[in-house]
Amino acid sequence: MGPPRALVGHHRWVVDFEYAHQKMDLGTCGQCRGYYRVLPEEPLELIDPYYAEFKIKDLKSDMFFGSVGYGIRENVDVFVRLGAVDAKDDVGPVAVPGCPGCEQDFAFDGSHGFAWGFGTKATFCQKGNLAWGGLLQITWANPDQSDMSGTVPEPAGGTVSGEMKLDWREIQIAIGPTWQVRDGLCIYGGPFWLFIRGDLDIESSWFPGATEAGRLICSHDVTEESEFGGYCGALWDVVRNTSLYAEYQFTGDAWGVGLGCILRLE
């Protein structure tokens, strides 16, 4: 997120290169439709749709961004960012239609997909080496879909295969101080709020033999497990017009680390 204050300057531009790694638990809720084939020669029949809840456990993601910031006022910045994201986690327990007691977790492994976002930072007041401000940023993450596969224990037996698609957006709001420790070095931090909204889509099939015996189609909404957390970081000037920063974020069910490089354009 960077320091919770304006950094760019009135009518000036900056370019920012960012990397973030995070790990979090999420919850899902939505409708599932199960289909089951009673006899091999008969078509799949719809079982009554039902609502289910899944857990997304240990969602690990890596995000890479390039962003451009502009100072619309001396104390207000805006920025946009473009980049890529990948994600890995475990989702479950997912049912297997027509196989009671065959619920299990499935691994999601989405390779790099598109990510983008925008936000704003503002300085509320400054006195000496201490500035108070805040930021708001929204990030959309769309990793590629993942294949899902597993086996069903006996006596039912067989294999489960299909696809999962997961995407989400993060809304982060932070306030806090930025303290100029000395020339070229400042530290920052404070509380922040994290809101996650997303979609999880699953389509899987059960093959006890050569013929598909069951199919499951789910469409779920994704939300965060905890909203409130804190973060801290440091920003230091390395050469003229170039700064580096590093920070750590945490909530009750998530944590993340970030690194960045800011280039101030003349």
Side-chain angles (χ1 to χ4, degrees), residues 173-205:
I173 303 170
I175 57 174
T178 301
W179 178 39
Q180 186 89 27
V181 180
R182 57 176 173 81
D183 288 343
L185 174 65
C186 66
I187 58 176
Y188 59 88
F192 79 96
W193 290 262
L194 171 68
F195 306 97
I196 294 179
R197 298 295 182 268
D199 299 291
L200 173 69
D201 296 304
I202 295 176
E203 183 169 347
S204 65
S205 297

Side-chain angles (χ1 to χ4, degrees), residues 44-112:
L44 290 169
E45 297 182 3
L46 173 65
I47 305 172
D48 289 340
Y50 63 94
Y51 280 87
E53 295 183 358
F54 301 151
K55 294 293 185 181
I56 298 178
K57 305 161 190 173
D58 296 334
L59 173 64
K60 303 179 186 70
S61 63
D62 293 285
M63 297 185 181
F64 304 86
F65 287 108
S67 70
V68 176
Y70 177 70
I72 59 175
R73 298 179 61 181
E74 190 64 32
N75 60 345
V76 180
D77 302 343
V78 293
F79 61 89
V80 295
R81 49 161 55 132
L82 298 175
V85 59
D86 65 2
K88 295 181 180 181
D89 60 49
D90 290 321
V91 178
V94 180
V96 178
C99 183
C102 294
E103 292 185 338
Q104 57 185 286
D105 293 344
F106 289 91
F108 176 87
D109 188 359
S111 59
H112 282 95

Side-chain angles (χ1 to χ4, degrees), residues 131-149:
W132 289 86
L135 66 85
L136 164 67
Q137 66 182 29
I138 306 175
T139 305
W140 282 262
N142 298 276
D144 279 348
Q145 67 183 20
S146 171
D147 295 331
M148 56 185 294
S149 61

